Amino acid sequence: MASQTSICNRALECLGDAPIVSIDDDTKQAKALRRVYDITRRAFLCDHPWHFAKKRASLPASAATPVWGFARGFPVPADFLRLLAVRNGPDFSLEADTTGSQWILSDASAPLDILYLYDVTDAGRFPPHAVEALARWLAYDLAEDLTQSNTKKQDAAQALGIALTRAKRINGMQKQPEPYPTFSFLQAREQSTQFPILTTNG
């Protein structure tokens, strides 16, 4: 099971740098990781509908109603990162109020059922493909600061692209396979005999 430290050390390993004991160390590597870790982790989580980061919620309506446009406002959960779906497909708008808090505005009745990506802070919940991709993203973000090498930065970008592609492919495999279309080869053949292609010979 991964930990924050193991993910950070994998990122440093990708850059050929020395490992850390803790992200709270008083070293250049640890200080750089403290600066970017949470920002990079949240960006990674928002990048794709990762199955391990999905969560469902039933949101109560707020007593405060929107100024115009919709009948109700539904404050999002504290760990909300990205909205994936609203049950039964009502019209809605995801907006922020004057304090920066996010709301889902809709005419739908309460509670409003949603599927969303949440802020996974426990590194142990990241599956192996996500651990590697996050580590590669961290390596890319840190490459210039820790190596001062454009070549290392380019290598990190390429490796990140490969890791993300692999992680998204594995993530996509973890769902019910989609059925094949009912329009089969035999049906296509039957239609071609019913409606033959006209030629210059008639």
Side-chain angles (χ1 to χ4, degrees):
M1 187 168 61
S3 66
Q4 182 189 62
T5 302
S6 65
I7 293 173
C8 290
N9 280 333
R10 175 59 180 148
L12 294 172
E13 180 183 29
C14 293
L15 295 175
D17 214 329
I20 60 172
V21 175
S22 166
I23 199 171
D24 296 318
D25 291 351
D26 189 27
T27 65
K28 180 179 180 178
Q29 294 89 342
K31 290 176 181 178
L33 283 160
R34 282 200 300 275
R35 188 174 64 252
V36 305
Y37 182 84
D38 282 330
I39 296 171
T40 301
R41 176 180 54 77
R42 292 190 183 104
F44 168 77
L45 289 169
C46 287
D47 182 62
H48 190 71
W50 307 108
H51 295 312
F52 73 93
K54 290 180 180 179
K55 188 183 283 190
R56 297 171 189 267
S58 292
L59 307 181
S62 172
T65 58
V67 176
W68 62 272
F70 290 100
R72 297 172 191 84
F74 302 86
V76 302
D79 59 359
F80 178 93
L81 284 181
R82 174 183 159 191
L83 184 64
L84 296 177
V86 177
R87 189 180 181 188
N88 297 326
D91 289 338
F92 69 89
S93 179
L94 180 62
E95 301 179 12
D97 62 18
T98 55
T99 68
S101 298
Q102 289 188 295
W103 294 67
I104 300 173
L105 308 183
S106 179
D107 291 329
S109 300
L112 188 70
D113 295 331
I114 67 168
L115 178 67
Y116 69 102
L117 293 177
Y118 78 100
D119 191 6
V120 185
T121 57
D122 181 1
R125 293 185 176 273
F126 282 67
H129 58 275
V131 167
E132 179 66 11
L134 175 56
R136 292 289 183 176
W137 199 320
L138 285 166
Y140 171 76
D141 284 347
L142 294 172
E144 187 172 350
D145 186 16
L146 295 182
T147 69
Q148 288 81 50
S149 168
N150 288 332
T151 300
K152 285 279 190 180
K153 182 80 170 180
Q154 292 169 1
D155 290 346
Q158 184 176 10
L160 171 58
I162 294 171
L164 281 174
T165 298
R166 182 183 296 120
K168 290 174 182 179
R169 184 177 69 248
I170 294 172
N171 188 76
M173 294 175 181
Q174 300 180 80
K175 64 179 181 180
Q176 187 73 12
E178 296 181 2
Y180 287 104
T182 56
F183 192 79
S184 67
F185 171 77
L186 291 177
Q187 287 174 311
R189 185 177 178 184
E190 288 174 2
Q191 284 202 352
S192 68
T193 60
Q194 293 172 9
F195 305 98
I197 299 174
L198 296 177
T199 67
T200 55
N201 295 326

